CSV table of all heavy atoms in Angstrom, one decimal:
chain,number,residue,atom,x,y,z
A,1,MET,N,-167.2,35.0,-1.1
A,1,MET,CA,-167.5,36.3,-0.5
A,1,MET,C,-167.6,37.4,-1.5
A,1,MET,O,-166.8,37.4,-2.4
A,1,MET,CB,-166.4,36.6,0.6
A,1,MET,CG,-166.9,37.6,1.6
A,1,MET,SD,-165.6,38.0,2.8
A,1,MET,CE,-164.8,39.4,2.0
A,2,ALA,N,-168.6,38.2,-1.4
A,2,ALA,CA,-168.8,39.3,-2.3
A,2,ALA,C,-167.7,40.4,-2.2
A,2,ALA,O,-167.3,40.7,-1.1
A,2,ALA,CB,-170.1,40.0,-2.1
A,3,VAL,N,-167.2,40.8,-3.3
A,3,VAL,CA,-166.1,41.8,-3.3
A,3,VAL,C,-166.6,43.0,-4.1
A,3,VAL,O,-167.2,42.9,-5.1
A,3,VAL,CB,-164.9,41.2,-4.0
A,3,VAL,CG1,-163.8,42.3,-4.1
A,3,VAL,CG2,-164.3,40.0,-3.2
A,4,PRO,N,-166.4,44.2,-3.5
A,4,PRO,CA,-166.9,45.4,-4.2
A,4,PRO,C,-166.2,45.6,-5.6
A,4,PRO,O,-165.0,45.4,-5.7
A,4,PRO,CB,-166.6,46.6,-3.3
A,4,PRO,CG,-166.0,46.0,-2.0
A,4,PRO,CD,-165.9,44.5,-2.2
A,5,LYS,N,-167.0,46.0,-6.6
A,5,LYS,CA,-166.4,46.1,-7.9
A,5,LYS,C,-165.6,47.4,-8.0
A,5,LYS,O,-164.6,47.4,-8.7
A,5,LYS,CB,-167.5,46.1,-8.9
A,5,LYS,CG,-167.1,46.0,-10.4
A,5,LYS,CD,-168.3,45.9,-11.3
A,5,LYS,CE,-167.9,45.7,-12.7
A,5,LYS,NZ,-169.1,45.5,-13.6
A,6,ARG,N,-166.1,48.4,-7.4
A,6,ARG,CA,-165.4,49.7,-7.5
A,6,ARG,C,-165.1,50.2,-6.1
A,6,ARG,O,-165.8,50.0,-5.1
A,6,ARG,CB,-166.4,50.8,-8.1
A,6,ARG,CG,-166.6,50.6,-9.6
A,6,ARG,CD,-165.8,51.5,-10.4
A,6,ARG,NE,-165.8,51.2,-11.8
A,6,ARG,CZ,-164.7,50.9,-12.5
A,6,ARG,NH1,-163.5,51.0,-11.9
A,6,ARG,NH2,-164.8,50.6,-13.8
A,7,ARG,N,-163.9,50.9,-6.1
A,7,ARG,CA,-163.5,51.6,-4.8
A,7,ARG,C,-164.5,52.8,-4.6
A,7,ARG,O,-164.9,53.5,-5.5
A,7,ARG,CB,-162.1,52.1,-5.0
A,7,ARG,CG,-161.5,52.6,-3.7
A,7,ARG,CD,-160.1,53.0,-4.1
A,7,ARG,NE,-160.0,54.5,-4.4
A,7,ARG,CZ,-159.2,55.3,-3.8
A,7,ARG,NH1,-158.4,55.0,-2.9
A,7,ARG,NH2,-159.2,56.6,-4.2
A,8,LYS,N,-164.9,52.9,-3.3
A,8,LYS,CA,-165.8,54.1,-3.0
A,8,LYS,C,-164.9,55.3,-3.0
A,8,LYS,O,-163.8,55.4,-2.5
A,8,LYS,CB,-166.3,53.9,-1.6
A,8,LYS,CG,-167.7,53.3,-1.5
A,8,LYS,CD,-168.2,53.3,-0.1
A,8,LYS,CE,-169.7,53.0,0.0
A,8,LYS,NZ,-170.2,53.2,1.3
A,9,SER,N,-165.5,56.4,-3.6
A,9,SER,CA,-164.8,57.7,-3.6
A,9,SER,C,-164.7,58.3,-2.2
A,9,SER,O,-165.4,57.9,-1.3
A,9,SER,CB,-165.5,58.6,-4.5
A,9,SER,OG,-166.7,59.0,-4.0
A,10,LYS,N,-163.7,59.2,-2.0
A,10,LYS,CA,-163.6,59.9,-0.8
A,10,LYS,C,-164.9,60.5,-0.3
A,10,LYS,O,-165.3,60.5,0.8
A,10,LYS,CB,-162.5,61.0,-0.9
A,10,LYS,CG,-161.1,60.5,-0.9
A,10,LYS,CD,-160.2,61.7,-1.0
A,10,LYS,CE,-158.8,61.3,-1.4
A,10,LYS,NZ,-158.0,62.5,-1.7
A,11,SER,N,-165.5,61.1,-1.3
A,11,SER,CA,-166.8,61.8,-1.1
A,11,SER,C,-167.9,60.9,-0.5
A,11,SER,O,-168.6,61.2,0.4
A,11,SER,CB,-167.3,62.5,-2.4
A,11,SER,OG,-168.6,62.9,-2.2
A,12,LYS,N,-168.0,59.7,-1.1
A,12,LYS,CA,-169.0,58.7,-0.7
A,12,LYS,C,-168.7,58.2,0.7
A,12,LYS,O,-169.5,58.1,1.6
A,12,LYS,CB,-169.0,57.5,-1.6
A,12,LYS,CG,-169.6,57.7,-2.9
A,12,LYS,CD,-171.2,57.7,-2.8
A,12,LYS,CE,-171.8,58.0,-4.2
A,12,LYS,NZ,-173.2,58.3,-4.0
A,13,VAL,N,-167.4,58.0,1.0
A,13,VAL,CA,-167.0,57.5,2.3
A,13,VAL,C,-167.2,58.6,3.3
A,13,VAL,O,-167.8,58.3,4.4
A,13,VAL,CB,-165.5,57.1,2.3
A,13,VAL,CG1,-165.0,56.9,3.7
A,13,VAL,CG2,-165.2,55.9,1.5
A,14,ARG,N,-166.9,59.8,3.0
A,14,ARG,CA,-167.0,60.9,4.0
A,14,ARG,C,-168.5,61.2,4.2
A,14,ARG,O,-168.9,61.5,5.4
A,14,ARG,CB,-166.3,62.1,3.5
A,14,ARG,CG,-164.8,61.9,3.7
A,14,ARG,CD,-164.0,63.0,3.0
A,14,ARG,NE,-162.6,62.7,3.0
A,14,ARG,CZ,-161.7,63.4,2.3
A,14,ARG,NH1,-162.0,64.4,1.6
A,14,ARG,NH2,-160.4,63.1,2.4
A,15,SER,N,-169.3,61.1,3.2
A,15,SER,CA,-170.7,61.4,3.4
A,15,SER,C,-171.4,60.3,4.2
A,15,SER,O,-172.3,60.6,5.0
A,15,SER,CB,-171.4,61.6,2.0
A,15,SER,OG,-172.1,60.6,1.6
A,16,LYS,N,-170.9,59.1,4.0
A,16,LYS,CA,-171.4,58.0,4.9
A,16,LYS,C,-171.1,58.2,6.3
A,16,LYS,O,-171.9,58.1,7.2
A,16,LYS,CB,-170.9,56.6,4.4
A,16,LYS,CG,-171.4,55.5,5.2
A,16,LYS,CD,-170.7,54.2,4.8
A,16,LYS,CE,-171.2,53.0,5.7
A,16,LYS,NZ,-170.7,51.7,5.3
A,17,ARG,N,-169.8,58.6,6.5
A,17,ARG,CA,-169.3,58.8,7.9
A,17,ARG,C,-169.9,60.0,8.6
A,17,ARG,O,-169.8,60.2,9.8
A,17,ARG,CB,-167.8,58.9,7.9
A,17,ARG,CG,-167.2,57.5,7.6
A,17,ARG,CD,-165.7,57.5,7.6
A,17,ARG,NE,-165.2,56.2,7.2
A,17,ARG,CZ,-164.0,56.0,6.8
A,17,ARG,NH1,-163.1,57.0,6.9
A,17,ARG,NH2,-163.6,54.8,6.5
A,18,SER,N,-170.5,60.9,7.8
A,18,SER,CA,-171.1,62.1,8.4
A,18,SER,C,-172.3,61.7,9.3
A,18,SER,O,-172.7,62.6,10.2
A,18,SER,CB,-171.6,63.1,7.4
A,18,SER,OG,-172.7,62.6,6.7
A,19,HIS,N,-172.8,60.5,9.2
A,19,HIS,CA,-173.9,60.1,10.1
A,19,HIS,C,-173.5,59.2,11.2
A,19,HIS,O,-174.3,58.6,11.9
A,19,HIS,CB,-175.0,59.4,9.2
A,19,HIS,CG,-175.5,60.3,8.2
A,19,HIS,ND1,-176.5,61.2,8.4
A,19,HIS,CD2,-175.3,60.3,6.9
A,19,HIS,CE1,-176.8,61.8,7.3
A,19,HIS,NE2,-176.1,61.3,6.3
A,20,GLN,N,-172.2,59.0,11.4
A,20,GLN,CA,-171.7,58.0,12.4
A,20,GLN,C,-171.3,58.6,13.7
A,20,GLN,O,-170.8,57.9,14.5
A,20,GLN,CB,-170.5,57.2,11.8
A,20,GLN,CG,-170.9,56.3,10.7
A,20,GLN,CD,-169.7,55.6,10.1
A,20,GLN,OE1,-168.6,55.9,10.4
A,20,GLN,NE2,-170.0,54.6,9.3
A,21,ALA,N,-171.6,59.9,13.9
A,21,ALA,CA,-171.1,60.5,15.1
A,21,ALA,C,-171.9,59.9,16.3
A,21,ALA,O,-173.1,59.5,16.2
A,21,ALA,CB,-171.4,62.0,15.1
A,22,ILE,N,-171.3,59.8,17.5
A,22,ILE,CA,-171.9,59.3,18.7
A,22,ILE,C,-172.6,60.5,19.3
A,22,ILE,O,-172.1,61.6,19.5
A,22,ILE,CB,-170.8,58.7,19.6
A,22,ILE,CG1,-170.2,57.5,19.0
A,22,ILE,CG2,-171.5,58.4,21.0
A,22,ILE,CD1,-169.0,57.0,19.8
A,23,GLY,N,-173.9,60.2,19.7
A,23,GLY,CA,-174.7,61.2,20.3
A,23,GLY,C,-174.4,61.5,21.7
A,23,GLY,O,-173.6,60.8,22.3
A,24,LYS,N,-174.9,62.6,22.2
A,24,LYS,CA,-174.7,62.9,23.6
A,24,LYS,C,-175.5,62.0,24.5
A,24,LYS,O,-176.6,61.6,24.1
A,24,LYS,CB,-175.1,64.3,23.9
A,24,LYS,CG,-174.2,65.4,23.3
A,24,LYS,CD,-174.8,66.8,23.5
A,24,LYS,CE,-174.1,67.8,22.6
A,24,LYS,NZ,-174.8,69.0,22.6
A,25,PRO,N,-175.0,61.6,25.7
A,25,PRO,CA,-175.8,60.8,26.6
A,25,PRO,C,-177.0,61.5,27.2
A,25,PRO,O,-176.9,62.7,27.3
A,25,PRO,CB,-174.8,60.4,27.7
A,25,PRO,CG,-173.8,61.4,27.6
A,25,PRO,CD,-173.7,61.9,26.2
A,26,ASN,N,-178.0,60.8,27.4
A,26,ASN,CA,-179.2,61.5,28.0
A,26,ASN,C,-179.0,61.6,29.5
A,26,ASN,O,-179.0,60.6,30.2
A,26,ASN,CB,-180.5,60.6,27.7
A,26,ASN,CG,-180.9,60.8,26.2
A,26,ASN,OD1,-180.8,61.9,25.7
A,26,ASN,ND2,-181.3,59.7,25.7
A,27,LEU,N,-178.8,62.8,29.9
A,27,LEU,CA,-178.5,63.0,31.3
A,27,LEU,C,-179.7,63.5,32.0
A,27,LEU,O,-180.5,64.3,31.5
A,27,LEU,CB,-177.3,64.0,31.5
A,27,LEU,CG,-176.0,63.6,30.9
A,27,LEU,CD1,-175.0,64.7,31.0
A,27,LEU,CD2,-175.4,62.4,31.7
A,28,SER,N,-179.9,63.1,33.3
A,28,SER,CA,-180.9,63.7,34.1
A,28,SER,C,-180.2,64.2,35.4
A,28,SER,O,-179.1,63.9,35.6
A,28,SER,CB,-182.0,62.6,34.5
A,28,SER,OG,-181.4,61.5,35.0
A,29,SER,N,-180.9,64.9,36.2
A,29,SER,CA,-180.3,65.5,37.4
A,29,SER,C,-180.6,64.6,38.6
A,29,SER,O,-181.7,64.0,38.7
A,29,SER,CB,-180.8,66.9,37.6
A,29,SER,OG,-182.2,66.9,37.8
A,30,CYS,N,-179.6,64.5,39.4
A,30,CYS,CA,-179.7,63.6,40.7
A,30,CYS,C,-180.7,64.3,41.6
A,30,CYS,O,-180.7,65.5,41.8
A,30,CYS,CB,-178.4,63.5,41.3
A,30,CYS,SG,-178.4,62.7,42.9
A,31,LYS,N,-181.6,63.5,42.2
A,31,LYS,CA,-182.7,64.0,43.0
A,31,LYS,C,-182.1,64.6,44.3
A,31,LYS,O,-182.6,65.4,45.0
A,31,LYS,CB,-183.7,63.0,43.4
A,31,LYS,CG,-184.6,62.6,42.2
A,31,LYS,CD,-186.0,62.7,42.5
A,31,LYS,CE,-186.9,62.7,41.3
A,31,LYS,NZ,-186.7,61.4,40.6
A,32,ASN,N,-180.9,64.0,44.7
A,32,ASN,CA,-180.3,64.4,46.0
A,32,ASN,C,-179.4,65.6,45.8
A,32,ASN,O,-179.5,66.6,46.5
A,32,ASN,CB,-179.5,63.2,46.6
A,32,ASN,CG,-179.0,63.5,47.9
A,32,ASN,OD1,-179.7,64.0,48.8
A,32,ASN,ND2,-177.7,63.2,48.1
A,33,CYS,N,-178.4,65.5,44.9
A,33,CYS,CA,-177.4,66.6,44.8
A,33,CYS,C,-177.5,67.4,43.6
A,33,CYS,O,-176.9,68.5,43.5
A,33,CYS,CB,-176.0,65.9,44.9
A,33,CYS,SG,-175.5,65.0,43.5
A,34,GLY,N,-178.4,67.0,42.7
A,34,GLY,CA,-178.6,67.9,41.5
A,34,GLY,C,-177.6,67.8,40.4
A,34,GLY,O,-177.7,68.5,39.4
A,35,SER,N,-176.6,66.9,40.5
A,35,SER,CA,-175.6,66.8,39.5
A,35,SER,C,-176.1,66.0,38.3
A,35,SER,O,-177.1,65.2,38.5
A,35,SER,CB,-174.3,66.2,40.0
A,35,SER,OG,-174.6,65.0,40.6
A,36,PHE,N,-175.5,66.1,37.2
A,36,PHE,CA,-175.9,65.3,36.0
A,36,PHE,C,-175.5,63.8,36.2
A,36,PHE,O,-174.4,63.5,36.4
A,36,PHE,CB,-175.4,65.9,34.7
A,36,PHE,CG,-175.9,67.2,34.4
A,36,PHE,CD1,-175.2,68.4,34.5
A,36,PHE,CD2,-177.3,67.3,34.0
A,36,PHE,CE1,-175.7,69.6,34.2
A,36,PHE,CE2,-177.8,68.6,33.7
A,36,PHE,CZ,-177.0,69.7,33.8
A,37,VAL,N,-176.5,62.9,36.0
A,37,VAL,CA,-176.2,61.5,36.1
A,37,VAL,C,-176.9,60.8,35.0
A,37,VAL,O,-177.9,61.3,34.4
A,37,VAL,CB,-176.7,60.9,37.5
A,37,VAL,CG1,-175.8,61.4,38.6
A,37,VAL,CG2,-178.1,61.3,37.7
A,38,LEU,N,-176.4,59.6,34.6
A,38,LEU,CA,-177.1,58.8,33.6
A,38,LEU,C,-178.3,58.2,34.3
A,38,LEU,O,-178.2,57.8,35.5
A,38,LEU,CB,-176.1,57.7,33.2
A,38,LEU,CG,-174.9,58.1,32.3
A,38,LEU,CD1,-173.9,56.9,32.2
A,38,LEU,CD2,-175.4,58.5,31.0
A,39,SER,N,-179.4,58.1,33.6
A,39,SER,CA,-180.6,57.6,34.2
A,39,SER,C,-180.5,56.1,34.4
A,39,SER,O,-179.8,55.4,33.7
A,39,SER,CB,-181.8,57.9,33.3
A,39,SER,OG,-181.5,57.5,32.0
A,40,HIS,N,-181.2,55.6,35.4
A,40,HIS,CA,-181.2,54.2,35.9
A,40,HIS,C,-179.9,53.8,36.4
A,40,HIS,O,-179.5,52.6,36.3
A,40,HIS,CB,-181.7,53.3,34.8
A,40,HIS,CG,-183.0,53.7,34.2
A,40,HIS,ND1,-184.2,53.5,34.8
A,40,HIS,CD2,-183.3,54.2,33.0
A,40,HIS,CE1,-185.1,54.0,34.0
A,40,HIS,NE2,-184.6,54.4,32.9
A,41,ARG,N,-179.1,54.7,36.9
A,41,ARG,CA,-177.8,54.4,37.5
A,41,ARG,C,-177.6,55.2,38.8
A,41,ARG,O,-178.2,56.2,39.0
A,41,ARG,CB,-176.6,54.7,36.6
A,41,ARG,CG,-176.4,53.6,35.5
A,41,ARG,CD,-175.7,54.2,34.3
A,41,ARG,NE,-175.6,53.3,33.2
A,41,ARG,CZ,-176.5,53.0,32.3
A,41,ARG,NH1,-177.7,53.6,32.4
A,41,ARG,NH2,-176.3,52.3,31.3
A,42,VAL,N,-176.8,54.6,39.7
A,42,VAL,CA,-176.5,55.3,41.0
A,42,VAL,C,-175.7,56.5,40.7
A,42,VAL,O,-174.9,56.6,39.8
A,42,VAL,CB,-175.7,54.3,41.9
A,42,VAL,CG1,-175.3,55.0,43.2
A,42,VAL,CG2,-176.5,53.0,42.1
A,43,CYS,N,-176.0,57.6,41.4
A,43,CYS,CA,-175.3,58.8,41.3
A,43,CYS,C,-173.9,58.7,41.7
A,43,CYS,O,-173.6,58.2,42.9
A,43,CYS,CB,-176.0,59.9,42.1
A,43,CYS,SG,-175.1,61.5,42.1
A,44,PRO,N,-172.9,58.9,40.9
A,44,PRO,CA,-171.5,58.7,41.3
A,44,PRO,C,-171.0,59.8,42.3
A,44,PRO,O,-169.9,59.6,42.9
A,44,PRO,CB,-170.7,58.8,40.0
A,44,PRO,CG,-171.6,59.6,39.1
A,44,PRO,CD,-173.0,59.4,39.5
A,45,TYR,N,-171.7,60.8,42.5
A,45,TYR,CA,-171.2,61.9,43.3
A,45,TYR,C,-171.7,61.7,44.8
A,45,TYR,O,-171.0,61.9,45.7
A,45,TYR,CB,-171.7,63.3,42.8
A,45,TYR,CG,-171.2,63.5,41.4
A,45,TYR,CD1,-172.1,63.4,40.3
A,45,TYR,CD2,-169.9,63.9,41.2
A,45,TYR,CE1,-171.6,63.7,39.1
A,45,TYR,CE2,-169.4,64.2,39.9
A,45,TYR,CZ,-170.3,64.0,38.9
A,45,TYR,OH,-169.8,64.2,37.6
A,46,CYS,N,-173.0,61.3,45.0
A,46,CYS,CA,-173.5,61.1,46.3
A,46,CYS,C,-173.9,59.7,46.7
A,46,CYS,O,-174.2,59.4,47.8
A,46,CYS,CB,-174.6,62.1,46.6
A,46,CYS,SG,-176.0,61.9,45.5
A,47,GLY,N,-173.9,58.8,45.7
A,47,GLY,CA,-174.3,57.4,45.9
A,47,GLY,C,-175.8,57.2,46.1
A,47,GLY,O,-176.2,56.2,46.7
A,48,PHE,N,-176.6,58.1,45.7
A,48,PHE,CA,-178.0,57.9,45.9
A,48,PHE,C,-178.6,57.2,44.7
A,48,PHE,O,-178.2,57.4,43.6
A,48,PHE,CB,-178.7,59.3,46.0
A,48,PHE,CG,-179.0,59.7,47.5
A,48,PHE,CD1,-178.0,59.9,48.3
A,48,PHE,CD2,-180.3,59.9,47.9
A,48,PHE,CE1,-178.2,60.2,49.7
A,48,PHE,CE2,-180.6,60.2,49.2
A,48,PHE,CZ,-179.5,60.4,50.1
A,49,TYR,N,-179.6,56.4,45.0
A,49,TYR,CA,-180.4,55.8,43.9
A,49,TYR,C,-181.8,55.6,44.4
A,49,TYR,O,-182.0,55.0,45.5
A,49,TYR,CB,-179.8,54.5,43.4
A,49,TYR,CG,-180.6,54.0,42.2
A,49,TYR,CD1,-180.5,54.7,40.9
A,49,TYR,CD2,-181.4,52.9,42.2
A,49,TYR,CE1,-181.2,54.2,39.8
A,49,TYR,CE2,-182.1,52.4,41.1
A,49,TYR,CZ,-182.0,53.1,39.9
A,49,TYR,OH,-182.6,52.6,38.8
A,50,LYS,N,-182.8,56.1,43.7
A,50,LYS,CA,-184.2,55.9,44.2
A,50,LYS,C,-184.4,56.5,45.6
A,50,LYS,O,-185.0,55.8,46.5
A,50,LYS,CB,-184.7,54.5,44.1
A,50,LYS,CG,-184.9,54.1,42.6
A,50,LYS,CD,-185.9,52.9,42.5
A,50,LYS,CE,-186.3,52.7,41.1
A,50,LYS,NZ,-187.2,51.5,40.9
A,51,ASP,N,-184.0,57.7,45.8
A,51,ASP,CA,-184.2,58.5,47.0
A,51,ASP,C,-183.6,57.8,48.3
A,51,ASP,O,-184.0,58.1,49.4
A,51,ASP,CB,-185.7,58.7,47.3
A,51,ASP,CG,-186.3,59.4,46.1
A,51,ASP,OD1,-185.6,60.1,45.4
A,51,ASP,OD2,-187.5,59.1,45.8
A,52,ARG,N,-182.6,57.0,48.1
A,52,ARG,CA,-181.9,56.5,49.3
A,52,ARG,C,-180.4,56.2,48.9
A,52,ARG,O,-180.0,56.1,47.8
A,52,ARG,CB,-182.5,55.2,49.8
A,52,ARG,CG,-182.5,54.0,48.9
A,52,ARG,CD,-183.3,52.9,49.3
A,52,ARG,NE,-183.2,51.8,48.4
A,52,ARG,CZ,-182.3,50.9,48.5
A,52,ARG,NH1,-181.3,50.9,49.4
A,52,ARG,NH2,-182.2,49.9,47.6
A,53,VAL,N,-179.5,56.1,50.0
A,53,VAL,CA,-178.1,55.9,49.8
A,53,VAL,C,-177.9,54.4,49.5
A,53,VAL,O,-178.4,53.6,50.3
A,53,VAL,CB,-177.3,56.3,51.0
A,53,VAL,CG1,-175.8,56.1,50.8
A,53,VAL,CG2,-177.5,57.8,51.3
A,54,VAL,N,-177.3,54.0,48.4
A,54,VAL,CA,-177.0,52.6,48.2
A,54,VAL,C,-175.5,52.4,48.2
A,54,VAL,O,-175.2,51.2,48.3
A,54,VAL,CB,-177.6,52.2,46.8
A,54,VAL,CG1,-179.1,52.2,46.9
A,54,VAL,CG2,-177.2,53.1,45.7
A,55,LEU,N,-174.7,53.4,48.1
A,55,LEU,CA,-173.3,53.1,48.2
A,55,LEU,C,-172.6,54.4,48.6
A,55,LEU,O,-173.1,55.5,48.4
A,55,LEU,CB,-172.7,52.6,47.0
A,55,LEU,CG,-172.8,53.3,45.6
A,55,LEU,CD1,-171.7,54.4,45.4
A,55,LEU,CD2,-172.7,52.3,44.5
A,56,GLN,N,-171.4,54.3,49.2
A,56,GLN,CA,-170.6,55.5,49.5
A,56,GLN,C,-169.7,55.7,48.3
A,56,GLN,O,-169.0,54.8,47.9
A,56,GLN,CB,-169.8,55.3,50.8
A,56,GLN,CG,-170.6,55.2,52.0
A,56,GLN,CD,-171.4,56.5,52.3
A,56,GLN,OE1,-170.8,57.6,52.1
A,56,GLN,NE2,-172.6,56.4,52.7
A,57,PRO,N,-169.7,57.0,47.8
A,57,PRO,CA,-168.8,57.2,46.7
A,57,PRO,C,-167.3,57.1,47.1
A,57,PRO,O,-166.9,57.5,48.2
A,57,PRO,CB,-169.1,58.7,46.3
A,57,PRO,CG,-170.1,59.2,47.2
A,57,PRO,CD,-170.5,58.1,48.1
A,58,LYS,N,-166.5,56.5,46.2
A,58,LYS,CA,-165.1,56.2,46.5
A,58,LYS,C,-164.3,57.5,46.7
A,58,LYS,O,-163.6,57.7,47.6
A,58,LYS,CB,-164.4,55.4,45.5
A,58,LYS,CG,-164.8,53.9,45.6
A,58,LYS,CD,-164.1,53.1,44.5
A,58,LYS,CE,-164.6,51.7,44.5
A,58,LYS,NZ,-164.4,51.0,43.3
A,59,VAL,N,-164.4,58.4,45.7
A,59,VAL,CA,-163.7,59.7,45.7
A,59,VAL,C,-164.7,60.8,46.1
A,59,VAL,O,-165.8,60.8,45.6
A,59,VAL,CB,-163.0,60.0,44.4
A,59,VAL,CG1,-161.7,59.4,44.3
A,59,VAL,CG2,-163.9,59.5,43.2
A,60,LYS,N,-164.3,61.6,47.0
A,60,LYS,CA,-165.1,62.8,47.3
A,60,LYS,C,-165.2,63.7,46.1
A,60,LYS,O,-164.1,64.1,45.5
A,60,LYS,CB,-164.5,63.6,48.5
A,60,LYS,CG,-165.1,63.2,49.8
A,60,LYS,CD,-166.5,63.7,49.9
A,60,LYS,CE,-167.3,63.0,51.1
A,60,LYS,NZ,-168.7,63.0,50.8
A,61,ALA,N,-166.3,63.9,45.6
A,61,ALA,CA,-166.5,64.8,44.4
A,61,ALA,C,-166.1,66.2,44.7
A,61,ALA,O,-166.3,66.7,45.8
A,61,ALA,CB,-167.9,64.7,43.9
A,62,ASP,N,-165.5,66.8,43.7
A,62,ASP,CA,-165.1,68.2,43.9
A,62,ASP,C,-166.3,69.1,43.7
A,62,ASP,O,-166.1,70.4,43.7
A,62,ASP,CB,-163.9,68.6,43.0
A,62,ASP,CG,-164.1,68.1,41.6
A,62,ASP,OD1,-164.9,67.2,41.4
A,62,ASP,OD2,-163.3,68.6,40.7
A,63,LYS,N,-167.4,68.5,43.4
A,63,LYS,CA,-168.6,69.4,43.2
A,63,LYS,C,-169.1,69.8,44.6
A,63,LYS,O,-169.0,69.0,45.5
A,63,LYS,CB,-169.7,68.5,42.6
A,63,LYS,CG,-169.8,68.7,41.1
A,63,LYS,CD,-170.9,67.9,40.5
A,63,LYS,CE,-172.1,68.7,40.3
A,63,LYS,NZ,-172.1,69.6,39.1
A,64,PRO,N,-169.5,71.0,44.7
A,64,PRO,CA,-170.0,71.5,46.0
A,64,PRO,C,-171.3,70.8,46.4
A,64,PRO,O,-172.2,70.6,45.5
A,64,PRO,CB,-170.3,73.0,45.8
A,64,PRO,CG,-170.4,73.2,44.4
A,64,PRO,CD,-169.6,72.1,43.7
A,65,GLU,N,-171.5,70.4,47.6
A,65,GLU,CA,-172.7,69.7,48.1
A,65,GLU,C,-173.7,70.7,48.4
A,65,GLU,O,-173.6,71.5,49.2
A,65,GLU,CB,-172.4,68.8,49.3
A,65,GLU,CG,-171.3,67.8,49.1
A,65,GLU,CD,-171.9,66.4,48.9
A,65,GLU,OE1,-172.9,66.1,49.6
A,65,GLU,OE2,-171.4,65.6,48.1
A,66,GLU,N,-174.8,70.7,47.6
A,66,GLU,CA,-175.9,71.6,47.8
A,66,GLU,C,-177.2,70.9,47.8
A,66,GLU,O,-177.5,70.0,47.0
A,66,GLU,CB,-175.9,72.7,46.7
A,66,GLU,CG,-174.8,73.7,46.9
A,66,GLU,CD,-174.7,74.7,45.7
A,66,GLU,OE1,-175.3,74.5,44.7
A,66,GLU,OE2,-174.0,75.7,45.9
B,1,LIG,ZN1,-176.3,62.7,43.6
């Protein structure tokens, strides 16, 4: 197995890690209740997907229903 010849400096390690941040998720708004939801997933607040109810949410969301 290949072994690195030199230890990477703090600066090299930190500059490499500067690009490793996790990005924000791409959120879209629910067509029914307008809350932010992940796309291609059932809305966790109202249980809607593709303009119809597919499940009842387990916990009542503290978001106001509008
Ligand atoms: Zn919804």
